[in-house]
Amino acid sequence: MTNPATYLGPAEEKMEMAVAFLDESLAHIRAGKANPKILDAVRVEYYGSLAPISNVANISVPDARTIVITPWEKPMFKEIEKAIINSELGITPENNGEVIRLSIPPLTEERRKQLVKQSKAEAEQAKVSVRNARRDAIEGLKKAIKQGMSEDVEKDAENDVQKLHDKYLKKIDEIFAAKEKEILTV
């Protein structure tokens, strides 16, 4: 007889990973405030290979509208500037020879709505992942009946899977609501 935990454990793990991925992907969406994570996707040429900016420079956020990048080597100024200009950030870097400053412009109402839409799509993707994990667990439990699991145990396990599903959907909604509030706050 198979144990229901063999289906619940992997399902919860997949749901947890969906929430973690959502958290990470929402962190990369610019919300009008300076956030060094928006630079994570930008790569610079460094000794023949592409490296994230954080590997070749110090990144700090002195105030809510500015990101300051201090390269560790002087030749990296031009490389970092070029990478930021060529990226999809839409921010023009200011170089004073000591540091590179990125001034984060305030978001327009239209851009805010686009970002909320993008965030909602990310949240929807996470919900789909959670639902898929629930479906896989329930299918596994139904197959386990044929392998000797009692129907009562299967029904209880199915209820547990549903509770996990509801818990993680609630988490996703909370994360999205927080991001939406962050984006819409002027």
Side-chain angles (χ1 to χ4, degrees), residues 30-43:
R30 189 161 68 98
K33 287 193 297 202
N35 182 350
K37 284 196 176 227
I38 65 170
L39 295 172
D40 286 354
V42 181
R43 303 278 186 226

Side-chain angles (χ1 to χ4, degrees), residues 153-170:
V153 171
E154 187 268 341
K155 283 293 174 205
D156 290 343
E158 235 178 85
N159 288 339
D160 292 344
V161 170
Q162 187 61 43
K163 284 177 189 165
L164 277 177
H165 168 266
D166 296 343
K167 173 181 141 188
Y168 283 100
L169 283 191
K170 187 173 182 240

Side-chain angles (χ1 to χ4, degrees), residues 39-45 50-55 79 83-84 87:
L39 295 172
D40 286 354
V42 181
R43 303 278 186 226
V44 293
E45 181 73 28
L50 292 176
I53 291 178
S54 58
N55 287 8
E79 290 292 332
I84 292 170
S87 74

Side-chain angles (χ1 to χ4, degrees), residues 84-103:
I84 292 170
I85 290 169
N86 293 337
S87 74
E88 296 175 2
L89 290 179
I91 302 171
T92 306
E94 303 163 22
N95 179 353
N96 67 4
E98 298 288 316
V99 295
I100 298 171
R101 263 183 222 299
L102 300 178
S103 297

Side-chain angles (χ1 to χ4, degrees), residues 23 37 63 108 116 120 124 139 163 180:
D23 226 5
K37 284 196 176 227
D63 61 62
T108 63
V116 168
K120 189 164 184 66
E124 222 25 73
E139 283 175 2
K163 284 177 189 165
E180 183 179 32

Side-chain angles (χ1 to χ4, degrees), residues 46-108:
Y46 187 64
Y47 292 111
S49 64
L50 292 176
I53 291 178
S54 58
N55 287 8
V56 298
N58 190 27
I59 301 171
S60 61
V61 182
D63 61 62
R65 295 255 178 247
T66 312
I67 297 176
V68 175
I69 304 168
T70 313
W72 296 326
E73 301 172 19
K74 288 283 185 203
M76 291 312 295
F77 275 99
K78 291 231 182 306
E79 290 292 332
I80 292 172
E81 262 187 315
K82 188 169 73 176
I84 292 170
I85 290 169
N86 293 337
S87 74
E88 296 175 2
L89 290 179
I91 302 171
T92 306
E94 303 163 22
N95 179 353
N96 67 4
E98 298 288 316
V99 295
I100 298 171
R101 263 183 222 299
L102 300 178
S103 297
I104 309 296
L107 297 171
T108 63

